[in-house]
Amino acid sequence: MKTPERTTVGTRERIVRATSRLLQRQGYEGTGVKQISREAEATLGSVYHFFPGGKQELAAEAIRHGDEEFAVLLRAGLGSSPDPGEAVLVCTRMLARELRASDWQDGCPVSTTALETAGRAPEIERAVAAAYANWRAIVVDHLVAAGIGTQDAAELAGTVICTLEGAELAARIACSEEPLLVSGKHLARLLGTYTGAQR
Amino acid sequence: MKTPERTTVGTRERIVRATSRLLQRQGYEGTGVKQISREAEATLGSVYHFFPGGKQELAAEAIRHGDEEFAVLLRAGLGSSPDPGEAVLVCTRMLARELRASDWQDGCPVSTTALETAGRAPEIERAVAAAYANWRAIVVDHLVAAGIGTQDAAELAGTVICTLEGAELAARIACSEEPLLVSGKHLARLLGTYTGAQR
């Protein structure tokens, strides 16, 4: 180990990315720590070195990773236009493009794991709740900046996140961009009734 | 066995209901055929008698069961008002009430299983696609009856189903009726822009 620090960072990140990929494709229950170690090209010892809490800790960290990935997409998409409707449409186009590029495999790592473990894994639940709160706050900020009142913005942001989650699920199942693009159009129309933008 | 026919029907139905319940609470990968047989109070032999295809066949049948359950709710909710917005709001209230009554445990048996097995279980994929198509058709009929054009109705129905799925997921995660009730309000507002109803 010539550069222990870089190697350490690299291995930990490979493990988190592998966990995230496996959770998206086959869920929490179908994923084992041994498979994560194989996919990450890391020894089982190093997986437990970084994540002594095992699978639940790995999943919680993968959810935090997915949280940040989706937050980056939301910030980029929303930053593309001051008009909330247009900005949300851009987000759905970005999501659709990413989903198609992964051959409809890589959906949201948060939702599958959340559904499978609901009520049974507190560390995962906390990470999921934090992810939803983070995404919602990003959307709220954009809506408030566009002049929507804080109460309306908080409610609308919740609906935007729910709709994106549901549409991504439907797009994955149908192997089609349509549910995301159509939902984006409808969200834009809904938001337009608050901002006065015509659609 | 005094009434063999009734007993036979009862066992098969118990198995399907147990499968559906387990899929909702712990997903496909976390559910085993042995656990299904225990939960259904049926022998392993009778489970394989009714479902020789094993877990994938059981899951597909449970999805068809969930498909019909949600279809019944949609028909009842939509039938409550000729105004699509008001009718969709009633659907979200019914979903919220059911979810609360199950202590946030029983969500949609279709979505978790669909996400976990995407691309890996053709029999399940067919059942999931049929469920989405069935639900969408029920909503389309209601929207067309309310005077919305067929193309708009088809698109809106897709968004209604996606949003209900996403909001139910969020409601389960948050152990709160709010995501469903707020999404219902927003769907009603969106639909009102097509029917001219004010909200």
Side-chain angles (χ1 to χ4, degrees), chain B residues 61-94:
Chain B
E61 185 60 27
I63 284 168
R64 284 187 284 269
H65 177 74
D67 171 357
E68 189 46 36
E69 275 196 334
F70 190 45
V72 166
L73 183 145
L74 277 177
R75 281 194 211 100
L78 295 176
S80 70
S81 170
D83 173 60
E86 180 56 34
V88 167
L89 249 179
V90 171
C91 291
T92 58
R93 282 191 208 118
M94 290 168 73

Side-chain angles (χ1 to χ4, degrees), chain A residues 71-127:
Chain A
V72 166
L73 182 145
L74 277 177
R75 282 193 210 98
L78 295 176
S80 69
S81 170
D83 173 60
E86 180 56 33
V88 167
L89 250 179
V90 171
C91 291
T92 58
R93 283 191 207 118
M94 289 168 75
L95 275 170
R97 198 164 52 227
E98 280 194 4
L99 200 55
R100 173 180 286 281
S102 80
D103 203 19
W104 318 106
Q105 289 280 306
D106 294 342
C108 172
V110 178
S111 52
T112 320
T113 309
L115 282 169
E116 280 179 281
T117 61
R120 295 183 298 127
E123 195 179 342
I124 292 175
E125 280 185 358
R126 278 193 296 275

Side-chain angles (χ1 to χ4, degrees), chain B residues 180-196:
Chain B
L180 276 163
L181 301 181
V182 169
S183 294
K185 187 173 82 172
H186 290 143
L187 283 173
R189 185 169 170 130
L190 171 67
L191 292 167
T193 69
Y194 288 84
T195 61

Side-chain angles (χ1 to χ4, degrees), chain B residues 56-145:
Chain B
Q56 195 177 142
E57 190 182 348
L58 279 159
E61 185 60 27
I63 284 168
R64 284 187 284 269
H65 177 74
D67 171 357
E68 189 46 36
E69 275 196 334
F70 190 45
V72 166
L73 183 145
L74 277 177
R75 281 194 211 100
L78 295 176
S80 70
S81 170
D83 173 60
E86 180 56 34
V88 167
L89 249 179
V90 171
C91 291
T92 58
R93 282 191 208 118
M94 290 168 73
L95 276 169
R97 199 164 51 225
E98 280 193 4
L99 200 55
R100 172 179 286 280
S102 81
D103 203 18
W104 317 107
Q105 289 280 306
D106 294 340
C108 173
V110 178
S111 51
T112 320
T113 309
L115 282 168
E116 280 179 281
T117 61
R120 295 183 298 127
E123 194 179 343
I124 292 175
E125 281 185 358
R126 278 192 296 274
V128 170
Y132 267 81
N134 184 29
W135 301 337
R136 198 167 166 174
I138 292 169
V139 179
V140 167
D141 283 352
H142 191 77
L143 300 184
V144 168

Side-chain angles (χ1 to χ4, degrees), chain A residues 47-194:
Chain A
V47 173
Y48 280 108
H49 165 72
F50 289 113
F51 301 96
K55 197 162 96 164
Q56 193 176 145
E57 191 183 347
L58 279 159
E61 186 61 27
I63 284 168
R64 284 187 284 270
H65 177 76
D67 171 358
E68 189 46 36
E69 274 197 334
F70 190 46
V72 166
L73 182 145
L74 277 177
R75 282 193 210 98
L78 295 176
S80 69
S81 170
D83 173 60
E86 180 56 33
V88 167
L89 250 179
V90 171
C91 291
T92 58
R93 283 191 207 118
M94 289 168 75
L95 275 170
R97 198 164 52 227
E98 280 194 4
L99 200 55
R100 173 180 286 281
S102 80
D103 203 19
W104 318 106
Q105 289 280 306
D106 294 342
C108 172
V110 178
S111 52
T112 320
T113 309
L115 282 169
E116 280 179 281
T117 61
R120 295 183 298 127
E123 195 179 342
I124 292 175
E125 280 185 358
R126 278 193 296 275
V128 170
Y132 266 82
N134 184 29
W135 302 336
R136 197 167 165 172
I138 292 168
V139 179
V140 167
D141 283 351
H142 191 77
L143 299 184
V144 168
I148 296 177
T150 49
Q151 173 66 23
D152 282 341
E155 290 191 351
L156 284 166
T159 295
V160 167
I161 300 301
C162 288
T163 306
L164 294 181
E165 282 283 345
E168 188 176 53
L169 165 58
R172 259 190 94 182
I173 290 170
C175 297
S176 160
E177 296 176 345
E178 196 224 345
L180 277 163
L181 301 182
V182 169
S183 294
K185 187 172 81 172
H186 290 145
L187 283 173
R189 185 167 171 132
L190 171 67
L191 292 166
T193 69
Y194 288 83

Side-chain angles (χ1 to χ4, degrees), chain B residues 5-21 36 39-42 46-47 49-51 58 61-62 65-66 69:
Chain B
E5 267 183 37
R6 281 181 59 199
T7 311
T8 306
V9 170
T11 306
R12 189 180 190 284
E13 206 167 300
R14 278 209 313 282
I15 295 167
V16 175
R17 280 168 199 257
T19 307
S20 174
R21 203 161 49 235
I36 291 169
E39 276 270 318
E41 295 178 23
S46 69
V47 174
H49 165 72
F50 288 113
F51 301 97
L58 279 159
E61 185 60 27
H65 177 74
E69 275 196 334

